[in-house]
Amino acid sequence: NFNESFPQIKTTDDLLGPLVYLSSSSEFRDLRMEPNRKLAVDNFWLDIAGNMDNARELIRVYYNRVYFANRYFTSYKEGWKTDRGMIFIIFGPPDYLSKDANEEKWVYFTRKNSTPVEFTFIRKENHFTIQDYELNRDVNSTGIWAEAIRTWRRGKIYSPDTQL
């Protein structure tokens, strides 16, 4: 049972929580400690975006992805807090998805016939839900994750198909 507006993002806490993916530990701690969290969130986006128009676009895309993560990946916790939600927020919807009884594979195609970016989620045993998936963390995906975060932090929406 989540807040009354769930899965929509309407409160300051709804805006703040998902920033954990884009901020450092100390930045996130500082954001949470600010007396005016709404202003702190706004300033976070303005700082990385560089201007108001770009900040609006980043906010629109990021929080739409949070909304859809909440809508489609919620199980016993909000969808944005799940591994599938995290990948969806940062990378967007996959270009290709395959699913069987115990696994989901998300594929993002890249330019210039590069190797596609793939994420595999394994269903976990959970007595409360059948929607509990865990990302099969691969050491090879660390670089692509870091690049995605750097791109967002430079004020651009990350998409694997626009990367060289």
Side-chain angles (χ1 to χ4, degrees):
N1 190 9
F2 307 113
N3 69 45
E4 62 191 43
S5 64
F6 187 84
Q8 297 175 342
I9 295 83
K10 290 192 172 188
T11 69
T12 302
D13 287 338
D14 294 341
L15 295 169
L16 179 62
L19 290 182
V20 71
Y21 299 134
L22 297 181
S23 59
S24 68
S25 298
S26 61
E27 283 176 317
F28 191 71
R29 183 186 62 245
D30 291 347
L31 286 167
R32 289 182 43 223
M33 299 302 283
E34 281 290 325
N36 186 340
R37 288 184 184 171
K38 174 66 170 98
L39 181 60
V41 168
D42 290 347
N43 286 336
F44 174 88
W45 286 108
L46 281 169
D47 288 347
I48 68 171
N51 65 62
M52 185 78 71
D53 289 335
N54 194 34
R56 281 188 188 115
E57 180 65 7
L58 290 172
I59 288 167
R60 184 187 67 77
V61 170
Y62 195 78
Y63 291 108
N64 274 335
R65 289 181 181 181
V66 171
Y67 168 79
F68 283 109
N70 284 342
R71 184 139 174 125
Y72 295 115
F73 307 124
T74 293
S75 59
Y76 66 96
K77 58 186 171 181
E78 297 98 327
W80 74 264
K81 292 180 179 178
T82 66
D83 286 350
R84 292 184 299 168
M86 174 184 64
I87 297 300
F88 185 85
I89 291 166
I90 299 301
F91 290 86
D95 296 312
Y96 176 78
L97 184 145
S98 65
K99 186 174 184 173
D100 64 30
N102 295 310
E103 179 180 287
E104 270 189 28
K105 184 177 283 192
W106 294 11
V107 180
Y108 295 86
F109 298 114
T110 58
R111 293 196 309 173
K112 297 192 177 191
N113 297 327
S114 300
T115 305
V117 176
E118 295 183 9
F119 296 99
T120 302
F121 303 92
I122 308 298
R123 181 176 296 184
K124 290 176 50 180
E125 183 71 30
N126 188 317
H127 297 290
F128 301 107
T129 181
I130 61 169
Q131 293 298 323
D132 192 11
Y133 286 83
E134 185 174 271
L135 177 62
N136 184 19
R137 285 170 168 71
D138 179 357
V139 71
N140 297 324
S141 65
T142 306
I144 195 72
W145 176 262
E147 177 58 30
I149 299 306
R150 277 193 303 272
T151 301
W152 278 100
R153 297 286 306 219
R154 288 191 305 257
K156 305 244 188 267
I157 297 163
Y158 181 79
S159 175
D161 67 343
T162 61
Q163 303 307 305
L164 296 176

